[in-house]
Amino acid sequence: MSDDPGDDMLGWDESVFRNEHVFEIDYLPETFKHRETQMETLKYSLRPAVRGSRPLNVIARGPPGTGKTTATQILFDELRAQTEVQAVRVNCQVDSTRYAVFSRLFAEIFDYEPPSSGISFKKLFSQITDRLVEREEVLVVALDDVNYLFYESEASDTLYSLLRAHEAHSGARIGVIGISSDLDLDVIDELDTRVQSVFRPEEIYFNKYDQTEIVDILRERVDRGFHEGAVGTQVLDRVAEFTEEQGGDLRVGIDLLRRAGMNAEMRASRSVEAQDVEKAYDKSKYVHLSRRLGELTDSESALVEVIAENDGERAGDIYEAFNDQTDLGYTRYSEIINKLDQLGIIEASYTNVEGRGRSRELTLQYDSDAVLERL
Ligand SMILES: Nc1ncnc2c1ncn2[C@@H]1O[C@H](COP(=O)(O)OP(=O)(O)OP(=O)(O)O)[C@@H](O)[C@H]1O
Ligand SMILES: [Mg+2]
């Protein structure tokens, strides 16, 4: 028996990966294919800002993992490097109230956090606009995952303040890019009429990538991330099929590639095979779920947990368990149910109960073990 690993076996100091970073969540791709029209419309809308005028407002919509955030980041990086425009992206999953959004803007513009002792919204707002006017800067704000502002009923107030800034503070020039991945949400329709009357955005749609586009984009990632020959055409096709199965979300494909690579390494193999992809899919298919659960507050997670343990039961019964655990009242409970429903984590459907009228039934949209495991 020899200790020599065969030619197709990996040694301890070897890897199938050339650069594993390209599969990380915050990696900004070097090339951004199949989004030419969307990028053109975005640039067209932002161009006035470069000339010192107020840019056109934009609503960008499309299913998850279709490049909306990436498009904005690429453009914002260019703006920061080549122009005087202040470009700030706010993640509304994290900053989901008007006050939080403006605190984030403040921190980005001034390079330090606003006083934590709490200053009034009015003050926060005028400090930002004073600074813009004083420096003659145009501000472009990307409200990423703006749907979260709607779930918290903060969207109208936030947009109203941003869009009317030039009226309240003469000379302030602010443009807004709202990004939503909730296709059931009609962004314009859901705003108050006072906002609708000042908000006539350009609309940009990020459609799902088709199979060939997915392969094309992932091939590039493979070439950068893996050693030559580690991922064959058939394996990549399989990854693309799975990605398509999960609504064309590229995150699934990228996660699959990384996990499949790790599975190949576990077998000490130099090449990724179909079996590595199949095995990875059991985890990768839940990237949506993990991402959604990761952004929930403690009380929201607590409710998901209670629902997972009482799947399919009536809202009234689940409330008892939720209240025992969190002490929160029925109003907050209902709000959280609506949010989880809009996020697609649960479905809340009305059923008729004998003698008790209509009642809501709460069902998880995912396998309950998969949910509990990730909480
Ligand atoms: N055309 C593309 N070329 C290369 N990589 C891409 C492309 N489109 C998307 N990606 C990659 O896919 C992943 C998801 O993209 P992104 O985060 O921009 O999607 P999104 O539309 O903002 O999704 P969500 O609505 O869920 O926030 C990222 O890792 C990104 O690098
Ligand atoms: Mg995004």
Side-chain angles (χ1 to χ4, degrees):
M1 233 173 73
S2 131
D3 286 343
D4 253 15
D7 260 1
D8 53 347
M9 297 293 278
L10 279 178
W12 268 112
D13 53 347
E14 294 179 301
S15 170
V16 292
F17 295 110
R18 190 201 301 274
N19 177 8
E20 207 173 337
H21 298 305
V22 308
F23 304 108
E24 275 162 13
I25 206 92
D26 51 358
Y27 172 79
L28 203 59
E30 255 111 311
T31 54
F32 191 51
K33 287 198 246 177
H34 307 299
R35 283 300 173 234
E36 287 78 12
T37 36
Q38 289 84 351
M39 290 296 269
E40 263 168 35
T41 315
L42 271 171
K43 281 188 187 161
Y44 162 82
S45 312
L46 295 183
R47 214 165 264 286
V50 180
R51 300 190 295 261
S53 309
R54 203 147 60 92
L56 304 178
N57 298 306
V58 174
I59 281 292
R61 294 187 313 123
T66 50
K68 301 179 295 296
T69 298
T70 309
T72 320
Q73 280 176 320
I74 290 174
L75 283 182
F76 278 18
D77 282 355
E78 286 178 17
L79 282 178
R80 289 190 200 110
Q82 301 170 27
T83 75
E84 299 295 309
V85 176
Q86 279 273 6
V88 181
R89 184 177 79 92
V90 180
N91 177 354
C92 299
Q93 293 191 42
V94 178
D95 296 313
S96 56
T97 64
R98 180 177 71 163
Y99 193 85
V101 167
F102 277 82
S103 299
R104 177 72 56 192
L105 293 176
F106 182 102
E108 292 290 327
I109 291 171
F110 286 92
D111 246 351
Y112 58 83
E113 304 283 325
S116 58
S117 55
I119 56 172
S120 71
F121 170 72
K122 229 176 144 180
K123 203 143 186 204
L124 194 58
F125 191 15
S126 62
Q127 290 197 21
I128 293 172
T129 49
D130 285 351
R131 162 89 163 215
L132 294 174
V133 174
E134 183 192 315
R135 302 205 166 185
E136 295 187 13
E137 283 170 345
V138 181
L139 172 66
V140 181
V141 180
L143 297 172
D144 201 357
D145 291 311
V146 70
N147 35 308
Y148 282 77
L149 291 182
F150 285 88
Y151 307 153
E152 301 294 337
S153 308
E154 293 275 342
S156 286
D157 283 350
T158 309
L159 280 168
Y160 193 75
S161 297
L162 289 169
L163 297 168
R164 314 269 312 228
H166 59 288
E167 291 176 9
H169 307 263
S170 170
R173 283 157 296 174
I174 301 180
V176 177
I177 302 174
I179 303 171
S180 166
S181 58
D182 183 345
L183 299 181
D184 296 331
L185 176 77
D186 187 332
V187 173
I188 315 260
D189 217 45
E190 291 293 321
L191 291 167
D192 297 353
T193 45
R194 69 190 165 118
V195 187
Q196 283 173 357
S197 67
V198 287
F199 193 42
R200 306 241 182 274
E202 301 291 304
E203 298 200 40
I204 305 180
Y205 194 74
F206 286 67
N207 56 300
K208 239 176 79 168
Y209 296 114
D210 65 28
Q211 186 101 6
T212 0
E213 290 170 334
I214 296 175
V215 170
D216 198 31
I217 294 167
L218 291 182
R219 167 53 65 196
E220 173 119 12
R221 231 26 102 101
V222 164
D223 289 345
R224 287 181 194 273
F226 284 98
H227 283 299
E228 214 178 320
V231 176
T233 315
Q234 281 182 349
V235 168
L236 184 57
D237 284 346
R238 192 77 190 102
V239 170
E241 265 171 45
F242 277 138
T243 307
E244 177 122 76
E245 239 169 72
Q246 293 297 315
D249 183 341
L250 269 186
R251 267 190 219 97
V252 175
I254 294 167
D255 194 64
L256 264 177
L257 286 173
R258 191 180 61 92
R259 286 184 196 275
M262 290 167 68
N263 289 341
E265 287 197 337
M266 188 133 80
R267 298 186 296 110
S269 164
R270 283 183 193 285
S271 59
V272 178
E273 305 297 334
Q275 63 181 74
D276 301 316
V277 178
E278 309 282 335
K279 195 170 148 204
Y281 186 59
D282 279 340
K283 294 232 161 78
S284 297
K285 67 179 171 194
Y286 290 117
V287 291
H288 291 117
L289 178 65
S290 299
R291 189 158 169 271
R292 294 205 168 124
L293 293 179
E295 300 290 355
L296 297 180
T297 63
D298 288 347
S299 39
E300 290 161 356
S301 303
L303 181 52
V304 175
E305 191 174 338
V306 173
I307 295 173
E309 283 157 356
N310 303 274
D311 203 10
E313 292 192 21
R314 285 200 293 271
D317 300 332
I318 291 179
Y319 173 67
E320 307 281 316
F322 174 71
N323 177 255
D324 275 353
Q325 209 171 314
T326 61
D327 260 357
L328 289 171
Y330 204 85
T331 313
R332 187 64 197 138
Y333 173 66
S334 286
E335 283 169 4
I336 301 179
I337 287 182
N338 289 338
K339 177 171 172 182
L340 296 177
D341 189 12
Q342 283 167 312
L343 280 175
I345 296 176
I346 65 165
E347 187 176 270
S349 53
Y350 281 98
T351 50
N352 286 314
V353 185
E354 192 92 25
R356 280 172 56 184
R358 273 149 63 80
S359 151
R360 286 211 284 186
E361 235 173 49
L362 309 183
T363 4
L364 275 184
Q365 297 288 72
Y366 294 88
D367 177 54
S368 60
D369 287 338
V371 170
L372 289 170
E373 210 176 288
R374 281 167 183 77
L375 272 174

